[in-house]
Amino acid sequence: MWADAGIVPLVGSILAQVNRLRWSSGSPQQIAEELEAQAEVRPVTLKVAGQSYSHQFADPMEAATWIREAASDHHPGDSNVVLAIGGKLATAVAEPALAVFCRLNSTMGFPANNIFSAAAFARRAIHLPLALSREQTRPGCHPRMAIAWEDFEQSEDRQICAFVEAATKQARPEEMVVMGKEWRLERSGKYWVVYLSEATAEAVMTFKAGDGGSDDAKNNPGSPAYSYVQGLDDDEFPESDVPIGICRELAERGQLTVVGYSQGGIPAMACTMMCGAEPGFTRTVLFNCATMFWPEWLNRLFPDDWWQTDPKMLRGRFDNPIVSYGCSSVVSYVIASDPLSEGVTGGARAPQTPGSTLVLPACAHGVHVMDNHSFYHFTAGTH
């Protein structure tokens, strides 16, 4: 059924399903033309060769438009072969690099901290997300679909970006106006911040990304080195750096939204799993969540079969439902080809978060794909 993945994304085989009984296969041009000729308006599912997941669209015309736009975004340097090799090399280099960093920066003394224990930890940390991603090649219950930047720009979640920008600043603003409401700084930690709207009893807890420095790599709970550096077991919950108590308190007092960008998406997912049962916990919004850093302590919060469990029925290992009406309230925005939140086409794939994953078109290509991880793209408004 599948042809070779081809030279570049979308220059291979595409499968299009307009209904549950009929699939079509062909080149991007062929499938786009066939979809445009469809007179009936009904949902469409697309699968691209080399990708384990599918893209879902409301109707044939929307799917055809996505195919043509994705194909037109192709750049000569976007070789699947080159990106696949680069992805494999990056994975191979990441393991020893993480081991050395952990060995040099751990708070544990010898003999607990030695190069062999650091290497074993690094191997587990690098391969856990890859193993989870492989599990997700099986059909799951957590939808993933492509959307246009225009759709994102017109959504309320675009305005939520202001909280991520505030969390990133060294001097966080005391007051802001977002979504037509006045917000004041309620409390904050090194890697998170809470803004409160007293008029509506709403709170937004935001977890920021790392800054790329060694201090964040050692102390940010979303860092792949965190557990070893802090002397914790792989599955030991980082209570001192993930404010579960505050999150639960806010959800009891009013309506709470949790937001996370990049590494900040890791503790944001933890808060969702641990506090989602609270009546005021409304939703979680993630931006380029760095699931390639998915740690064992986060994995422990999920049941083994969560990928194949209906989001509305999903419960954590501690019998905490994601939210009172299911984790469909979790929305994860991912920029295509971001190595940390989506992976590289033809190479290592990043795990998908629970809830709905909305994939935005790539903004960078070829050797510059890492630029897709930048938060700038969510706020630029110039796509």
Side-chain angles (χ1 to χ4, degrees):
M1 182 177 290
W2 289 96
D4 183 78
I7 302 301
V8 297
L10 265 82
V11 184
S13 175
I14 292 183
L15 287 175
Q17 184 187 44
V18 183
N19 56 56
R20 298 182 64 181
L21 301 177
R22 179 176 176 272
W23 282 92
S24 296
S25 177
S27 69
Q29 177 71 18
Q30 292 170 329
I31 294 297
E33 291 177 354
E34 182 174 337
L35 288 168
E36 288 168 342
Q38 290 284 336
E40 192 172 359
V41 176
R42 61 192 309 166
V44 176
T45 298
L46 293 181
K47 277 193 173 184
V48 182
Q51 296 181 354
S52 60
Y53 52 86
S54 60
H55 302 272
Q56 299 173 343
F57 302 89
D59 55 62
M61 189 57 66
E62 182 179 300
T65 300
W66 179 84
I67 291 174
R68 294 192 184 283
E69 289 180 351
S72 67
D73 281 343
H74 162 57
H75 291 249
D78 289 355
S79 168
N80 270 7
V81 176
V82 171
L83 292 178
I85 292 174
K88 293 182 186 300
L89 285 175
T91 302
V93 171
E95 190 175 315
L98 178 59
V100 171
F101 182 86
C102 288
R103 171 67 180 88
L104 295 177
N105 293 281
S106 177
T107 57
M108 299 183 293
F110 186 83
N113 176 27
N114 60 75
I115 190 58
F116 300 105
S117 61
F121 170 81
R123 182 170 182 78
R124 295 193 300 272
I126 295 297
H127 288 273
L128 171 63
L130 300 179
L132 179 57
S133 178
R134 285 193 295 271
E135 291 178 12
Q136 293 180 351
T137 59
R138 299 179 298 167
C141 298
H142 300 262
R144 178 188 182 103
M145 61 197 75
I147 65 169
W149 278 106
E150 181 181 2
D151 297 327
F152 172 73
E153 291 291 340
Q154 295 174 356
S155 72
E156 184 178 276
D157 292 338
R158 166 62 181 85
Q159 299 182 61
I160 289 179
C161 290
F163 294 105
V164 177
E165 293 177 306
T168 305
K169 294 178 180 179
Q170 187 170 5
R172 290 159 174 166
E174 294 290 331
E175 296 179 342
M176 298 193 303
V177 176
V178 182
M179 298 179 289
K181 306 168 188 174
E182 295 183 355
W183 303 81
R184 65 171 178 81
L185 181 63
E186 166 77 0
R187 61 186 87 180
S188 64
K190 188 173 184 179
Y191 300 109
W192 55 272
V193 63
V194 174
Y195 280 91
L196 180 68
S197 172
E198 295 180 339
T200 59
E202 294 177 87
V204 176
M205 172 178 277
T206 304
F207 293 88
K208 77 180 190 73
D211 61 8
S214 61
D215 183 67
D216 271 9
K218 291 184 288 186
N219 300 306
N220 190 315
S223 165
Y226 176 87
S227 292
Y228 191 91
V229 170
Q230 301 299 322
L232 304 176
D233 291 337
D234 292 16
D235 62 356
E236 187 174 346
F237 190 83
E239 295 182 15
S240 60
D241 292 305
V242 181
I244 293 298
I246 295 174
C247 182
R248 184 169 288 116
E249 173 195 331
L250 292 168
E252 291 173 349
R253 285 168 41 189
Q255 301 298 302
L256 173 65
T257 296
V258 173
V259 181
Y261 161 58
S262 185
Q263 291 175 227
I266 301 296
M269 280 196 288
C271 286
T272 304
M273 291 301 297
M274 298 290 285
C275 305
E278 301 300 333
F281 198 107
T282 58
R283 64 195 303 256
T284 300
V285 182
L286 305 173
F287 299 99
N288 273 354
C289 179
T291 56
M292 283 300 276
F293 298 158
W294 192 296
E296 179 57 40
W297 64 260
L298 177 65
N299 204 47
R300 182 172 175 263
L301 302 181
F302 287 82
D304 293 334
D305 61 347
W306 73 266
W307 175 245
Q308 294 180 303
T309 301
D310 186 329
K312 295 181 180 179
M313 302 297 293
L314 182 60
R315 289 176 175 268
R317 292 193 181 211
F318 304 109
D319 202 36
N320 290 330
I322 290 288
V323 288
S324 57
Y325 50 91
C327 79
S328 54
S329 66
V330 178
V331 178
S332 178
Y333 291 95
V334 171
I335 298 178
S337 297
D338 168 25
L340 298 185
S341 64
E342 202 216 12
V344 178
T345 301
R349 306 302 303 175
Q352 185 176 320
T353 68
S356 300
T357 296
L358 305 180
V359 185
L360 292 155
C363 298
H365 307 270
V367 296
H368 304 291
V369 290
M370 192 62 203
D371 185 58
N372 287 310
H373 192 66
S374 173
F375 192 72
Y376 165 80
H377 299 300
F378 291 103
T379 59
T382 56
H383 306 98

